[in-house]
Amino acid sequence: MNRRIPDSTVRRISHYLRALEVMGVQGTPTVSSEELAQQGGTTAAQVRKDLSHFGSFGKRGLGYSVPELASRLRDILGLTCRWRVVLVGAGRIGSALFEYPHFARRGYDCVAVLDNDPEKIGMSWGPVRIRPVEELELVVDALKVDIAILAVPAEAAQTLAERAVAAGARAILNFAAVQLRVPAHVHVAYVNLVVELEALSFAITQNGKGRRK
Amino acid sequence: MNRRIPDSTVRRISHYLRALEVMGVQGTPTVSSEELAQQGGTTAAQVRKDLSHFGSFGKRGLGYSVPELASRLRDILGLTCRWRVVLVGAGRIGSALFEYPHFARRGYDCVAVLDNDPEKIGMSWGPVRIRPVEELELVVDALKVDIAILAVPAEAAQTLAERAVAAGARAILNFAAVQLRVPAHVHVAYVNLVVELEALSFAITQNGKGRRK
DNA sequence: ATGCGCTTGTGAAATTGGTCACAATGTAGG
DNA sequence: CCTACATTGTGACCAATTTCACAAGCGCAT
């Protein structure tokens, strides 16, 4: 086991965990790799290979204990502590994110919200007051922020990423449609609507030749 | 050239296109694979390999003509026609999406918005009136919808996907945190915030061992 | 017209990730 | 206790993707 873990494995683990949590609520005691594969949209062998990177959690002939495996996966994904997050950009996407119920529930605390619109600065979102984006360094440093979420226009993203990193952020979730250039020790994840839509229109175009009718 | 195109190639093409459009506005006439690679967060060889799947668009010794390559990439990605999209779910995410300026500008027309909340049904979002989700089949069929965007709770996603597909949708953009099971001819793209966040906390945990301080 | 420098396009090699098959190992039942 | 059966964990294969290296092509300067 161990070595470097493929990114795709990590993503799938995240899916397995969500499936396990549903099963946990339903009271299912054990699950086989075959069943997990169905939920996660993959194959039984893939499930076992993914898990084998981290150890062996199952019982041969029986499968996996749902609560136990869920707990192990939470450990693996680093969900046993709470992460401090700063949200940069209080626009539509930022607001949708902030309200997302699973967000806080899964261990992410939004300790600050920043924006550069004077109209928005000072507003209160629940317990958090929107601050000027100039305070980014202050916030990241003083509140020991781990993850910066960039929900800002593409032009602003690179600069803000650099500032967040310089102030100590170790990971960035980027909603802007640009590739960020950051030091190797900083991790970046992308959520990019446009890329996904364009991948779809590419796929449709390839297949059925053009749009309907 | 040609054969099956890797998904990762398609995503990168989408990035190249966006970089090219910025250069186009700035008036840059030509670009090398090296420069494109910088913008797209990859390597020059990768850029050339990606493009070579579709033909040869550059001039040796000189690079690529920015407007010409942009135009070719738009063709490849299927952005020269407009796609008809139905948005299912008029919550926070749906609303953020709907307002996203690049959405319409890049060739996607949101021809209908559906929700199951009686409070919302009948409201007008710009030129579009929110309809009951029961009308999904009607809308997909009558308005010749190509792409269904699911911005709904995880429990509802699978059923709605099946209904959209049965009514004729050929692609689905899924914001819900479940893997969809659909026939092979239907393309699905996922936007999953939770997976990305968990991939980040995994990465931070692996590296620096736990959160800051 | 020729040579030089730069940059593309591409087969071949290397790497990475996924699939398969099966031995190992557990449970349950007689 | 022993046999039948189910399901895991994994090493060996296989497939896909990325990297590498270089011949071929283009434009400019002389």
Side-chain angles (χ1 to χ4, degrees):
Chain A
M1 73 184 219
N2 245 327
R3 278 201 325 144
R4 211 186 63 78
I5 309 298
D7 203 57
S8 41
T9 290
V10 177
R11 311 274 169 113
R12 282 190 298 265
I13 297 263
S14 171
H15 281 115
Y16 304 152
L17 175 55
R18 228 153 308 114
L20 286 166
E21 286 177 339
V22 172
M23 293 175 197
V25 171
Q26 293 169 350
T28 316
T30 62
V31 65
S32 69
S33 55
E34 183 58 45
E35 292 167 285
L36 258 183
Q38 300 246 329
Q39 296 296 318
T42 180
T43 66
Q46 182 75 77
V47 171
R48 297 199 298 273
K49 181 68 101 177
D50 285 338
L51 297 179
S52 78
H53 284 115
F54 302 99
S56 45
F57 310 123
K59 283 197 170 53
R60 299 181 188 217
L62 189 59
Y64 303 87
S65 151
V66 168
E68 188 190 313
L69 183 57
S71 164
R72 304 300 300 266
L73 297 191
R74 257 181 244 110
D75 282 353
I76 290 167
L77 292 175
L79 302 180
T80 46
C81 64
R82 300 194 70 80
W83 298 100
R84 285 176 291 252
V85 174
V86 60
L87 173 58
V88 187
R92 293 256 166 195
I93 296 175
S95 130
L97 250 167
F98 188 83
E99 302 278 329
Y100 192 56
H102 294 274
F103 192 69
R105 202 186 305 156
R106 288 189 85 78
Y108 301 92
D109 288 321
C110 188
V111 297
V113 179
L114 310 180
D115 204 293
N116 67 354
D117 179 351
E119 293 283 309
K120 286 183 186 144
I121 293 166
M123 280 174 54
S124 284
W125 278 8
V128 181
R129 197 176 49 82
I130 299 179
R131 307 185 190 207
V133 77
E134 284 74 25
E135 295 183 15
L136 176 59
E137 286 83 357
L138 178 72
V139 161
V140 170
D141 190 53
L143 301 181
K144 302 265 175 285
V145 163
D146 302 290
I147 303 175
I149 300 186
L150 299 182
V152 299
E155 313 83 70
Q158 178 64 42
T159 304
L160 288 169
E162 286 166 15
R163 288 175 53 190
V165 169
R170 290 194 291 153
I172 293 174
L173 179 59
N174 179 29
F175 284 79
V178 288
Q179 298 296 108
L180 298 178
R181 295 213 264 153
V182 298
H185 70 277
V186 178
H187 304 276
V188 184
Y190 295 88
V191 175
N192 194 325
L193 178 62
V194 177
V195 170
E196 300 306 327
L197 273 172
E198 291 181 0
L200 285 180
S201 64
F202 172 82
I204 305 178
T205 308
Q206 290 302 90
N207 263 35
K209 290 299 164 201
R211 64 179 191 174
R212 296 177 68 187
K213 259 295 139 43
Chain B
M1 73 184 220
N2 244 327
R3 282 196 324 141
R4 211 187 63 79
I5 309 296
D7 202 58
S8 41
T9 290
V10 177
R11 311 272 169 114
R12 282 190 298 265
I13 297 264
S14 170
H15 280 114
Y16 304 153
L17 176 55
R18 229 154 306 116
L20 286 166
E21 286 176 340
V22 172
M23 293 175 198
V25 171
Q26 293 170 350
T28 317
T30 63
V31 66
S32 69
S33 56
E34 183 58 45
E35 293 167 285
L36 258 183
Q38 301 246 326
Q39 296 296 317
T42 179
T43 66
Q46 182 76 77
V47 171
R48 297 200 297 274
K49 182 64 102 181
D50 285 338
L51 297 178
S52 78
H53 284 114
F54 302 98
S56 45
F57 310 123
K59 282 198 171 54
R60 299 179 188 220
L62 189 59
Y64 303 87
S65 150
V66 168
E68 189 190 314
L69 183 57
S71 165
R72 304 301 300 266
L73 297 191
R74 258 180 244 113
D75 283 353
I76 291 167
L77 292 175
L79 302 180
T80 47
C81 65
R82 302 195 68 81
W83 297 100
R84 284 175 292 253
V85 174
V86 60
L87 173 58
V88 187
R92 293 258 165 194
I93 295 177
S95 131
L97 250 166
F98 188 83
E99 303 276 330
Y100 192 55
H102 294 276
F103 192 70
R105 202 185 304 156
R106 289 189 84 79
Y108 302 92
D109 287 322
C110 188
V111 297
V113 180
L114 310 180
D115 204 293
N116 67 352
D117 178 352
E119 294 283 310
K120 286 184 185 143
I121 293 166
M123 279 174 54
S124 285
W125 277 9
V128 182
R129 196 176 49 82
I130 299 178
R131 307 185 188 207
V133 77
E134 284 75 24
E135 295 183 15
L136 176 58
E137 285 83 356
L138 177 73
V139 162
V140 170
D141 190 52
L143 301 180
K144 302 265 176 287
V145 163
D146 303 290
I147 303 175
I149 300 186
L150 300 183
V152 299
E155 313 82 68
Q158 178 63 43
T159 304
L160 288 168
E162 285 165 15
R163 288 175 53 191
V165 168
R170 289 194 292 152
I172 293 173
L173 179 58
N174 179 28
F175 283 80
V178 289
Q179 298 297 109
L180 298 179
R181 295 213 262 156
V182 297
H185 71 277
V186 178
H187 305 276
V188 184
Y190 295 89
V191 175
N192 194 323
L193 178 63
V194 176
V195 170
E196 300 305 327
L197 273 172
E198 291 180 0
L200 285 181
S201 65
F202 171 81
I204 305 178
T205 308
Q206 291 301 92
N207 264 34
K209 291 296 167 203
R211 63 178 191 173
R212 298 178 67 188
K213 260 296 140 45

